[in-house]
Structures are given as structure tokens and as C-alpha cells.
Amino acid sequence: TIDKKLGRRSTWAASHTNIGLCYEALGEFEQALVQFKAALELDTKIGKQAAIARDLSHIGLIYFNWGQFDAALDNFKQAMAIATKLNLKAKIALNLNNIGSVLRERGHYDQALAHFKKALEIDRAIGRTGETANDYNNIGLAYLSLNQHEKALENFGAALEIDKKLGRQGNMSRDYNNLGMIADAIGQYK
């Protein structure tokens, strides 16, 4: 590419990230991982810390989707360390959710819940309304795993309320599905 010829590694790294996101959206996770790792290599060479944190999060999500939780957790923790060092609140909240998701998958529901609640606290503080809906959803899933149905219902309802206000149809579908899981768990089929 032109950027490669001109030595613009930052733009080249961003291109790898964007290509990786396209592959990820197509479900071609191996190709996505190749692109995210290429972006990480370039961002590391130029020392772009925020981009490194982003790359590590993307890599972690691929491993998470493959069920390779140790690798996912390792990448998420590295991303969290960089985000914390740079005080990047949105990335801190993102990685709290990512780490919490790994913990939930491993059955560490109380620890997951603590991570999700901290993410909610940060997202509220920095005004990321859409992300608070995702936080509430994650909190609800943790409570559902703990068989605390009322608390799960409360959090899924909060997520739905926010998603309705924002007109996020896809997320509303998820929220209704989660409310249905509560109804199923308590045997309320009407």
C-alpha cells in the first residue's frame, strides 16, 4: 500500500485493524487474528500504547469466541494494564467487561459481577449511556447465573429501557431474549 511505501506505520496498523474487524464480522476469525496481530506488531514498533491496548482487546475477543479463555484473559489483562496506566476510562471499562465475561464463563460469578459493576460505574461517570446498557446486561447475566432472578430482571430491564431510548433495535432484541430467560428460569410462561 501507499502507507507502507511511505513508512506510515500508524496508518498501516489502523488498516490492519479495520481489515481484521471486517474478517471478524464475516466470521473469519483466523484471518481477523492475523490482521489484529499485524496491527499489534506495528503499533508496538511505534510505541502507540492506546492502539496496543485496542489490539490486545481485539485479539482477546477472538480467543474468547474460540473458548480459549486463558489466552483471552492474558490479552485482556495486558490491555487493562495499559489502559489503566494511560487512564483511558472507556478502555478500562471495556476490559473490565471483557475480563468479567471470562470470569463468568469460568463460573466465577461473584468476581465477574464485581468487574461488571465497576465497568458500569466508570461508564456512568464518563457519560457512555449506550455502554451502560451493555453493563446492565452483563450484570443481569451474572445474577442469572447466581440464580438471583429479581436482580437479573432489574438489570435486564434497565438495559432494555436504555436501549429503547437510544433506538438500538439489535440490543433490544437481546434484552427481550434475556427477559425471556428469566421467565423460563422461574417458570413464568405467560
Side-chain angles (χ1 to χ4, degrees):
T1 67
I2 293 172
D3 288 317
K4 186 175 181 181
K5 288 178 184 175
L6 295 176
R8 293 189 293 214
R9 289 182 177 161
S10 179
T11 305
W12 190 18
S15 295
H16 280 293
T17 299
N18 290 333
I19 293 167
L21 291 170
C22 290
Y23 278 125
E24 186 177 28
L26 292 169
E28 296 184 30
F29 299 115
E30 285 138 8
Q31 291 298 320
L33 185 60
V34 167
Q35 295 298 321
F36 294 144
K37 285 184 174 182
L40 176 61
E41 182 180 336
L42 288 167
D43 287 328
T44 300
K45 283 181 182 177
I46 60 176
K48 202 169 175 187
Q49 294 296 303
I52 292 169
R54 178 201 60 218
D55 300 334
L56 289 165
S57 292
H58 286 306
I59 291 167
L61 286 172
I62 296 294
Y63 286 124
F64 181 84
N65 288 328
W66 282 340
Q68 296 180 18
F69 300 126
D70 289 337
L73 191 58
D74 180 55
N75 281 278
F76 294 150
K77 285 183 175 181
Q78 289 180 61
M80 173 68 97
I82 294 168
T84 301
K85 178 181 168 189
L86 299 176
N87 198 31
L88 302 171
K89 300 288 189 193
K91 288 190 187 315
I92 292 169
L94 170 73
N95 283 291
L96 283 166
N97 272 312
N98 290 340
I99 292 168
S101 294
V102 171
L103 292 168
R104 186 173 51 82
E105 286 293 325
R106 287 185 162 172
H108 304 291
Y109 305 124
D110 289 322
Q111 291 175 35
L113 190 58
H115 280 73
F116 297 146
K117 286 181 175 182
K118 182 66 176 165
L120 175 62
E121 180 183 314
I122 292 169
D123 282 331
R124 277 183 178 159
I126 62 176
R128 290 175 17 130
T129 305
E131 290 306 314
T132 63
N134 295 330
D135 300 332
Y136 281 121
N137 178 65
N138 287 336
I139 292 168
L141 289 170
Y143 278 129
L144 180 61
S145 297
L146 290 166
N147 291 316
Q148 295 183 26
H149 300 125
E150 287 299 318
K151 290 182 178 180
L153 183 64
E154 177 184 320
N155 283 279
F156 290 148
L160 177 60
E161 185 178 319
I162 293 167
D163 287 330
K164 278 183 177 179
K165 286 180 184 174
L166 297 177
R168 296 174 9 162
Q169 298 293 319
N171 286 16
M172 288 168 55
S173 176
R174 173 202 66 195
D175 302 334
Y176 282 120
N177 182 64
N178 290 340
L179 290 168
M181 287 191 308
I182 294 291
D184 183 52
I186 61 176
Q188 184 180 4
Y189 301 110
K190 290 185 179 185

